């Protein structure tokens, strides 16, 4: 709505959440503490995880394209480019 939003970091709550979840809380407020965070992250044991999600893509483009192709094919077959023996009585001329 165009109003200014002010947020504040709540260290106490974040530390409590980290303690309850047996995690670590880091606050990088300057270059030295940022390097400490990076060092701690490098020490973590890396574990490969298998993804549980699958993405299924359904493309429906082929159906309208097939219908358009069939219409063009039928139009070509009945067009006036094909010579007829009795052109004046051709049913398309009556339309």
């Amino acid at each position: 709505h165009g109003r200014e939003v002010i947020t504040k970091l709540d260290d106490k709550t974040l530390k409590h959440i980290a303690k309850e979840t047996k995690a670590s809380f880091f606050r990088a407020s300057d270059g030295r503490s940022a390097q400490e965070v990076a060092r701690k992250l490098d020490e973590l044991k890396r574990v490969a995880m298998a993804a549980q999600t699958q993405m299924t893509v359904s493309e429906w483009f082929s159906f309208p394209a097939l219908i358009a192709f069939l219409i063009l094919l039928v139009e070509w077959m009945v067009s006036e480019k094909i010579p007829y023996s009795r052109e004046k009585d051709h049913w398309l001329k009556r339309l």
Side-chain angles (χ1 to χ4, degrees), residues 9-50:
L9 183 64
D10 186 5
D11 287 349
K12 183 179 176 185
T13 303
L14 293 174
K15 286 177 183 177
H16 176 72
I17 292 170
K19 182 179 177 184
E20 291 293 318
T21 59
K22 297 180 180 135
S24 299
F25 172 77
F26 299 101
R27 181 170 181 179
S29 55
D30 57 8
R32 187 175 182 190
S33 59
Q35 288 176 348
E36 178 68 22
V37 171
R39 187 181 64 76
K40 290 282 189 179
L41 289 173
D42 286 338
E43 291 175 1
L44 290 176
K45 182 180 178 183
R46 288 176 171 73
V47 178
M49 298 179 71

